[in-house]
Amino acid sequence: MSDNLYLAEGPHVGIRPFTPADAEEFTARAKESGALHHPWLFPPDDARAYATYASRLTEDRAKMGFLVCERMTTDGDEAGSGPIAGFININNIVGGAFRCGALGYGAFAHAAGRGLMSEGLGLVLRYAFGPLGLHRLEANIQPGNEASVALVRRAGFRLEGLSPDFLLIDGAWRDHERWAITAEMLDTP
């Protein structure tokens, strides 16, 4: 994959859409990351589930999915797409006067704690508030998911409250903290 397929890129990662060709790597990374994700998240870990998941992100106008990929230097300053570090999705995109979306995301185990998702989230925020024309993004996070809270805090999100019994996850309705950021809050150059 060439560098020009990135929607946005930073020094260490680029963001790009999901493709059918990513199924094998994505599902392998999801399997490797089961302990990291449990009990918060259950990304697709087989080809069939990935195909369904990726097609929803590419075909539904109310969703947009981004793979966060490491940029690998090949020689000089030229960089190409490296391993998938994680994913960030914008769900429930609403236009009009609302112009909002809800984030879902996950790092893969090999990339956790390396700052790659922080950089990727920054790229997604700039893309969402720029080319996508959104004004607000929300991240709903289960209490106790400290890594997820730390990620949105670093990005400048504010805690807005608690939503009891918010999402059905792993067979139970789970409470979630509501974190949000608006275009005005983003520290843009």
Side-chain angles (χ1 to χ4, degrees):
M1 174 161 303
S2 67
D3 204 31
N4 64 358
L5 293 179
Y6 286 129
L7 298 170
E9 56 190 291
H12 304 101
V13 301
I15 57 170
R16 63 178 177 79
F18 283 70
T19 71
D22 296 310
E24 185 176 348
E25 181 184 0
F26 187 97
T27 58
R29 299 278 184 207
K31 287 176 188 172
E32 294 167 1
S33 305
L36 175 67
H37 294 155
H38 186 79
W40 320 113
L41 175 68
F42 301 90
D45 63 1
D46 66 53
R48 185 180 198 178
Y50 174 86
T52 300
Y53 181 78
S55 68
R56 285 185 191 135
L57 292 169
T58 57
E59 296 170 13
D60 185 342
R61 293 174 55 120
K63 299 178 186 290
M64 186 156 191
F66 304 89
L67 292 175
V68 177
C69 299
E70 293 184 62
R71 295 182 66 228
M72 306 300 291
T73 302
T74 53
D75 61 21
D77 291 333
E78 191 176 326
S81 184
I84 299 171
F87 56 95
I88 302 172
N89 303 327
I90 304 176
N91 301 298
N92 307 322
I93 297 171
V94 178
F98 196 41
R99 295 187 320 189
C100 184
L103 291 180
Y105 50 83
F108 290 129
H110 75 281
R114 295 176 46 207
L116 303 175
M117 290 301 289
S118 289
E119 185 177 322
L121 180 55
L123 295 172
V124 169
L125 293 176
R126 283 171 178 73
Y127 189 83
F129 295 145
L132 288 182
L134 297 180
H135 175 258
R136 176 185 170 87
L137 288 171
E138 297 179 1
N140 294 290
I141 303 168
Q142 293 177 67
N145 187 342
E146 294 172 11
S148 191
V149 168
L151 177 66
V152 297
R153 272 194 186 166
R154 281 191 302 274
F157 283 65
R158 67 177 169 232
L159 177 62
E160 294 187 334
L162 178 74
S163 298
D165 302 327
F166 186 68
L167 287 173
L168 182 65
I169 297 177
D170 198 24
W173 288 99
R174 310 286 180 182
D175 296 349
H176 281 70
E177 294 177 350
R178 286 186 325 278
W179 292 80
I181 191 168
T182 62
E184 293 83 6
M185 294 167 61
L186 187 64
D187 182 23
T188 55

